Amino acid sequence: MNFKHIIIQGIPKKLPSKKTYDSSVNRAPKRKDILSVKEKKLAISNALRYFPKIWHKELAEEFRLELANYGRIYMLRFKPVYQIYARPIDEYPAKIKEAAGIMMMIQNNLDPNIAQHPDELITYGGNGAVFQNWAQYLLTMKYLATMDDKQTLHLYSGHPMGLFPSSKKAPRVVISNGIMIPNYSKPDDWEKYNALGVTQYGQMTAGSFMYIGPQGIVHGTTITLMNAFRNILKKGETTKGKVFLTSGLGGMSGAQPKAGNIVGCISITAEVNILAAQKRYDQGWVDILISNIKDLVLFVKKAKSKKTTVSIAYIGNVVDVWEKFLIEKIDVTIGSDQTSLHNPWSGGYYPVGISYEEGNIMLKDNPKKFKQKVQESLRRHAKVIRAHTEKGTYFFDYGNAFLLEASRAGGDVMNKDKSDFCYPSYVQDILGPLCFDYGFGPFRWICTSGKSEDLKLTDKIAEKILLNIRKNALKEIQTQLDDNINWIKNANSNHLVVGSKARILYANAEGRIKIALAFNRAIASGKIGNIVLGRDHHDVGGTDSPYRETSNIYDGSKFTADMAIHNVIGDSFRGASWVSIHNGGGVGWGEVLNGGFGMFLDGSDLCNKRIKNMIFFDVNNGIARRSWAKNANALLAINKEMKKTPKLKVTIPENVNTSILDSLF
Ligand SMILES: NC(=O)c1ccc[n+]([C@@H]2O[C@H](COP(=O)([O-])OP(=O)(O)OC[C@H]3O[C@@H](n4cnc5c(N)ncnc54)[C@H](O)[C@@H]3O)[C@@H](O)[C@H]2O)c1
């Protein structure tokens, strides 16, 4: 059977032969053994629902073993034998192109060259799942292959509940991931209900099929790093010879060395997992691998004296590097951390003092001790960062819940009166005021033809549009536009593509709409093939996350999540091809709600309307919320938008004189 036939078949007619796990593949850590015997039976019974009775006896024992060995039932036997990667759109068996576009996005998220733990259907972040198991994948692909444009597929945390009649204007797919009754959203609830096979952690772009490899994050990381340096460098200083120390070469964190090179500094990224580091090295995302700390010190000292731009992956624990650099008096200009602390007890963060392999054994055999070690390590981590920041390092939290978990572990990360963290998050200092409040966010597009020529042409189109917008832009957003014009000019030569032919660009509502309309025109005239538009959930209006995207909201509403819900519902009836709403993403289960969309451009007039209507709402809903919280830049942006768009009527806050409040108490 060929690729198309296998997809149309869904769950195979004949039981596939048993598979063994390939030890060369980067495997997910064993998850917590949290279920009672009764619950284990329920988990196995839940898994067997996907298969004919005749297979149950054989599969039941196999699934019991998967649960015992891995803590989850992945149904590896059903992983298809064909290669999974973003094949061009015409290669999918689909009745409608929109569905084929979605299939392509799924394939990209599960491509072993892209996904962090491909066998376990994890794209990034240690637990960012596309599906919970291979049966869900097979069924979803089949539904997409057979659906028409008057049906909508509803996915409950990876499980395809089914196709329901809808209309041409409705989204083709509606996705929810990890949505829980609020009281059941503690980390152990994820462990339990994920093990039962009834929910999953979709991260942001994993469970929404919008991951485009590390490029997606290189751009955001470059912007963040560039502005972090702008915040700290003295007049006349440049990034040359300056050190950026961080950790993580995983799904998103793997972008840091590339961003360091684009910015022109010396970056050191510690990574405990040699496979993760090797992958980034093989892809050309990091210049050199060093596993001996003495060699690292010598190399960095030399690079500093020669002011070389270089990115170094240190194979080992980041705490060791911070401590060694303190002893060796190596000044760190900028420091951050991108271990997966949104998932601290299940392998997101490896404690200092034990090897990666020892850590994995402890995680499996003694999770309680592992947790203690993580907390000890976080305290040591916080202490050494404090010593560096007292000498002038600018440290910021990179949205990975480092400050949150370090504070919970009793680490020294609080300010004097213990009311807040003593370090900013990258959103508070950088992305919030400079980007999100103005509507700039990680807009992206994917050329479904798979052709590099299409991507090049779209780069040119986007550049031309940004240059035009720049001519009459507010002075407050000119730097943002310049950074993005530079980015898009160099994007092709920076060789950023891994997987599907995709591009990311930070643009505001005006930029996103104009670029999308121009793409739609190019499709209509046959210059390029169909395009999928989307964005990271990590954006202006998609995500309510008090320690990250909405950390620069100061009216108390940062602990509410209405914006993300309105975002997804609002996008769904304004023209999205698919929408998704997730609990957890970046900072952890129960800590964030985030939403996103995908839009398939087919060159039609209807598509023009969708672009104008949906993208306008997608961005301005977020700006409106930010302006209601009295963020000055958001107020400026929304007032400007209201002048241009008479139908937009946003409630604007009045300022209160603080003396009135002070006189009350
Ligand atoms: N890049 C961004 O712009 C961005 C934005 C927001 C949030 N984040 C957050 O950053 C975190 C990382 O994301 P990811 O997708 O790269 O996750 P990931 O799990 O793929 O990668 C994290 C890496 O850190 C390594 N690691 C863990 N503990 C370590 C230690 N003590 N020393 C050295 N290495 C260690 C792991 O081996 C792993 O490869 C997540 O929490 C994510 O939400 C990133």
Side-chain angles (χ1 to χ4, degrees):
M1 272 202 290
N2 65 22
F3 173 67
K4 287 188 181 180
H5 288 127
I6 303 176
I7 286 187
I8 300 272
Q9 184 182 230
I11 304 281
K13 299 267 171 309
K14 210 174 132 236
L15 184 62
S17 53
K18 212 170 156 187
K19 292 198 181 67
T20 47
Y21 276 90
D22 177 354
S23 56
S24 67
V25 174
N26 191 352
R27 300 285 318 283
K30 186 190 170 201
R31 308 298 185 189
K32 214 170 182 174
D33 182 8
I34 199 169
L35 302 183
S36 65
V37 169
K38 193 174 165 201
E39 288 163 343
K40 282 179 182 163
K41 286 185 190 167
L42 182 59
I44 295 166
S45 150
N46 283 346
L48 292 172
R49 285 184 285 190
Y50 291 102
F51 306 105
K53 267 199 181 64
I54 186 164
W55 299 347
H56 282 188
K57 195 149 190 284
E58 184 171 351
L59 291 180
E61 172 56 11
E62 195 169 311
F63 292 168
R64 183 192 69 76
L65 277 175
E66 286 199 15
L67 202 53
N69 293 334
Y70 315 122
R72 298 290 185 271
I73 301 172
Y74 299 113
M75 311 178 181
L76 186 75
R77 183 196 282 256
F78 293 91
K79 184 181 173 188
V81 288
Y82 55 76
Q83 274 191 318
I84 300 186
Y85 66 97
R87 290 157 204 263
I89 190 164
D90 295 335
E91 294 187 22
Y92 300 93
K95 287 188 186 158
I96 49 170
K97 278 197 158 185
E98 226 175 338
I102 300 171
M103 289 162 107
M104 173 181 180
M105 300 295 285
I106 293 175
Q107 296 290 297
N108 196 56
N109 272 25
L110 291 173
D111 178 342
N113 290 315
I114 290 172
Q116 184 184 17
H117 305 304
D119 283 352
E120 291 88 359
L121 303 106
I122 301 291
T123 302
Y124 69 95
N127 56 359
V130 191
F131 297 99
Q132 296 177 63
N133 55 55
W134 288 101
Q136 294 179 345
Y137 164 83
L138 294 176
L139 278 175
T140 300
M141 291 297 279
K142 177 181 173 155
Y143 280 131
L144 288 168
T146 51
M147 77 188 300
D148 65 30
D149 64 3
K150 291 188 185 60
Q151 286 175 303
T152 295
L153 174 63
H154 287 261
L155 288 172
Y156 286 34
S157 282
H159 169 68
M161 194 54 78
L163 291 172
F164 290 77
S166 60
S167 76
K168 199 172 160 57
K169 285 191 174 168
R172 296 283 68 83
V173 182
V174 171
I175 303 169
S176 62
N177 279 308
I179 303 300
M180 303 296 288
I181 300 298
N183 263 341
Y184 295 81
S185 227
K186 305 270 181 309
D188 267 356
D189 293 319
W190 169 70
E191 296 279 2
K192 178 172 166 180
Y193 295 102
N194 188 221
L196 280 176
V198 293
T199 193
Q200 72 175 5
Y201 192 88
Q203 269 282 5
M204 294 192 148
T205 53
S208 60
F209 319 147
M210 202 31 89
Y211 190 68
I212 55 167
Q215 178 194 173
I217 218 71
V218 172
H219 185 43
T221 311
T222 306
I223 286 189
T224 305
L225 200 54
M226 212 182 259
N227 285 304
F229 274 115
R230 281 180 187 141
N231 277 352
I232 188 163
L233 290 182
K234 298 190 189 81
K235 220 173 161 203
E237 278 187 331
T238 71
T239 54
K240 294 271 170 262
K242 298 282 187 287
V243 167
F244 166 48
L245 172 57
T246 185
S247 60
L249 286 168
M252 291 204 281
S253 48
Q256 296 176 106
K258 188 96 184 168
N261 281 5
I262 296 173
V263 167
C265 64
I266 301 163
S267 70
I268 299 105
T269 312
E271 170 55 66
V272 285
N273 179 352
I274 190 162
L275 286 179
Q278 189 69 44
K279 187 166 173 176
R280 294 298 172 220
Y281 177 72
D282 293 343
Q283 286 168 347
W285 288 74
V286 60
D287 297 331
I288 172 165
L289 301 178
I290 299 182
S291 50
N292 180 307
I293 197 122
K294 284 189 192 149
D295 294 345
L296 177 71
V297 168
L298 288 177
F299 193 94
V300 172
K301 285 188 173 169
K302 208 163 152 196
K304 266 179 90 65
S305 70
K306 291 194 167 171
K307 300 199 172 195
T308 332
T309 295
V310 64
S311 53
I312 307 158
Y314 170 69
I315 319 289
N317 201 292
V318 68
V319 182
D320 288 328
V321 184
W322 280 108
E323 291 181 346
K324 189 72 178 169
F325 280 16
L326 195 67
I327 297 165
E328 295 288 338
K329 298 193 173 46
I330 295 179
D331 286 338
V332 176
T333 305
I334 294 192
S336 195
D337 190 82
Q338 272 200 53
T339 54
S340 273
L341 273 163
H342 66 271
N343 176 28
W345 322 127
S346 309
Y349 179 94
Y350 284 83
V352 64
I354 54 173
S355 70
Y356 175 64
E357 290 73 22
E358 286 165 338
N360 276 330
I361 294 169
M362 191 185 290
L363 184 59
K364 193 163 132 225
D365 297 343
N366 194 346
K368 218 166 147 193
K369 188 160 173 213
F370 184 81
K371 183 173 173 178
Q372 266 171 15
K373 286 269 174 211
V374 166
Q375 292 195 315
E376 271 169 40
S377 182
L378 281 169
R379 287 193 288 274
R380 209 166 127 183
H381 202 155
K383 188 173 168 205
V384 67
I385 285 174
R386 175 73 93 175
H388 277 273
T389 54
E390 280 172 356
K391 287 175 55 207
T393 301
Y394 173 58
F395 181 86
F396 62 89
D397 182 288
Y398 214 141
N400 61 338
F402 173 77
L403 292 176
L404 185 67
E405 290 306 336
S407 68
R408 285 174 177 166
D412 177 16
V413 292
M414 302 307 285
N415 62 9
K416 275 204 182 105
D417 65 9
K418 310 266 180 245
S419 60
D420 205 347
F421 300 130
C422 60
Y423 309 111
S425 91
Y426 70 121
V427 174
Q428 279 175 302
D429 259 23
I430 301 164
L431 279 190
L434 293 177
C435 294
F436 294 164
D437 287 353
Y438 289 117
F440 283 87
F443 178 61
R444 59 186 55 179
W445 63 90
I446 298 93
C447 301
T448 65
S449 65
K451 291 182 186 160
S452 303
E453 308 90 84
D454 278 16
L455 188 59
K456 275 190 202 153
L457 192 60
T458 56
D459 284 349
K460 283 272 158 250
I461 293 173
E463 182 189 333
K464 201 170 149 199
I465 282 168
L466 289 190
L467 283 166
N468 261 328
I469 293 177
R470 172 74 171 77
K471 285 182 198 155
N472 300 312
L474 288 173
K475 68 173 186 342
E476 288 84 351
I477 60 167
Q478 287 180 359
T479 310
Q480 291 84 326
L481 285 165
D482 288 342
D483 285 348
N484 282 287
I485 291 164
N486 268 339
W487 165 263
I488 200 75
K489 267 189 188 150
N490 299 321
N492 186 48
S493 53
N494 273 331
H495 303 294
L496 298 155
V497 169
V498 180
S500 59
K501 297 286 180 287
R503 187 66 75 222
I504 180 167
L505 175 73
Y506 265 54
N508 60 2
E510 182 186 6
R512 299 183 204 206
I513 292 170
K514 286 184 172 164
I515 291 170
L517 289 172
F519 288 170
N520 207 37
R521 280 195 298 277
I523 296 166
S525 61
K527 289 190 186 127
I528 52 174
N530 298 105
I531 297 274
V532 167
L533 288 186
R535 58 164 174 76
D536 195 343
H537 291 198
H538 173 54
D539 194 10
V540 182
T543 295
D544 280 300
S545 180
Y547 300 108
R548 220 170 79 171
E549 286 78 353
T550 37
S551 58
N552 72 325
I553 299 276
Y554 302 104
D555 69 351
S557 72
K558 69 177 171 182
F559 295 102
T560 66
D562 296 304
M563 179 178 72
I565 297 292
H566 280 271
N567 176 268
V568 166
I569 296 177
D571 282 1
S572 75
F573 62 81
R574 286 182 172 88
S577 302
W578 73 98
V579 287
S580 61
I581 179 84
H582 302 186
N583 168 13
V587 285
W589 177 258
E591 307 283 358
V592 45
L593 273 200
N594 56 91
F597 75 91
M599 188 189 272
F600 187 79
L601 304 190
D602 60 7
S604 67
D605 284 346
L606 176 63
C607 205
N608 284 335
K609 287 190 191 120
R610 289 176 157 181
I611 290 167
K612 286 185 205 157
N613 206 358
M614 199 220 79
I615 297 182
F616 181 88
F617 172 77
D618 188 66
V619 179
N620 281 302
N621 171 49
I623 302 181
R625 189 269 174 104
R626 288 165 185 277
S627 74
W628 183 237
K630 298 188 188 168
N631 290 12
N633 300 347
L635 274 162
L636 185 81
I638 207 74
N639 278 316
K640 184 167 181 267
E641 199 58 74
M642 278 199 281
K643 280 197 188 117
K644 273 178 31 196
T645 314
K647 280 197 187 295
L648 177 70
K649 307 275 181 213
V650 170
T651 314
I652 297 295
E654 273 303 344
N655 257 327
V656 183
N657 189 330
T658 48
S659 66
I660 297 180
L661 304 175
D662 293 342
S663 70
L664 294 177
F665 302 98

